[in-house]
């Protein structure tokens, strides 16, 4: 399970050093793809394969599933982190997420998310106000 918030930097070659506590689980390979709210999702290969299986089960006649699958898979980039735990984020994904040098990498349970620092701060400021109100709908009965 991926937890926590980290603030690495993107180097001049578009590489990110993965947080040390995530490296073991991601060492076998990752898939980086477009996420929601203009962040990037980083999946360990087994989790990406699980999600791909769920998408394959959707009928091809389901328009929303086709549209989601196209963007999700077309933007995906697979890679094995190097010995220093670095992965290269392709330019099309850096542009999608408006990544600058300063990043925020968060653990989001079964995936890692990569955010531009300013985008994350804006998202967090807007979301934290609703956090308490959302709990009841997401976790019926509360914690």
């Amino acid at each position: 399970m991926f937890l926590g918030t980290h603030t690495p930097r993107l180097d001049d070659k578009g590489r990110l050093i993965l947080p040390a506590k995530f490296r073991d689980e991601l060492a076998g390979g990752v898939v980086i793809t477009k996420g929601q709210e203009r962040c990037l999702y980083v999946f360990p290969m087994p989790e990406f394969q699980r999600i791909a299986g769920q998408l394959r089960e959707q009928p091809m006649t389901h328009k929303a599933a086709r549209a989601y699958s196209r963007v999700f898979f077309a933007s995906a980039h697979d890679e094995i982190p190097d010995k220093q735990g670095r992965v290269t984020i392709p330019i099309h994904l850096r542009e999608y997420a408006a990544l600058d040098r300063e990043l925020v990498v968060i653990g989001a349970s079964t995936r890692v998310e990569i955010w531009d620092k300013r985008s994350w701060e804006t998202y967090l400021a807007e979301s934290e106000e609703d956090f308490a109100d959302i709990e009841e709908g997401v976790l019926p009965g509360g914690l």
Side-chain angles (χ1 to χ4, degrees):
M1 180 179 294
F2 299 105
L3 303 171
T5 302
H6 308 270
T7 54
R9 291 181 177 208
L10 201 60
D11 73 11
D12 293 334
K13 296 179 182 178
R15 295 177 302 190
L16 161 72
I17 298 175
L18 295 167
K21 67 186 288 185
F22 297 166
R23 289 183 201 159
D24 284 346
E25 195 166 346
L26 299 174
V30 300
V31 177
I32 306 169
T33 192
K34 291 178 178 179
Q36 306 302 314
E37 291 84 34
R38 292 277 176 175
C39 74
L40 301 179
Y41 290 164
V42 180
F43 295 102
M45 190 58 73
E47 178 64 8
F48 184 81
Q49 290 169 338
R50 184 190 69 76
I51 293 166
Q54 287 181 319
L55 289 169
R56 274 193 304 272
E57 291 174 9
Q58 299 301 312
M60 288 186 60
T61 56
H62 193 278
K63 186 176 181 178
R66 283 194 319 271
Y68 185 83
S69 290
R70 285 180 183 130
V71 173
F72 187 75
F73 291 115
S75 65
H77 169 75
D78 61 325
E79 184 170 347
I80 295 176
D82 70 11
K83 291 177 184 174
Q84 288 80 37
R86 294 178 300 195
V87 292
T88 300
I89 302 173
I91 188 72
H92 73 279
L93 291 174
R94 292 194 312 253
E95 289 172 353
Y96 168 80
L99 298 183
D100 200 2
R101 203 164 200 44
E102 303 293 322
L103 305 178
V104 174
V105 174
I106 66 166
S109 184
T110 60
R111 70 179 181 276
V112 173
E113 294 182 359
I114 301 171
W115 290 77
D116 173 73
K117 185 178 181 185
R118 286 189 184 146
S119 298
W120 172 250
E121 290 169 350
T122 300
Y123 174 80
L124 199 56
E126 293 170 358
S127 299
E128 283 186 330
E129 291 180 21
D130 298 326
F131 182 67
D133 297 334
I134 294 171
E135 179 185 325
E136 189 63 35
V138 175
L139 297 170
L143 294 176

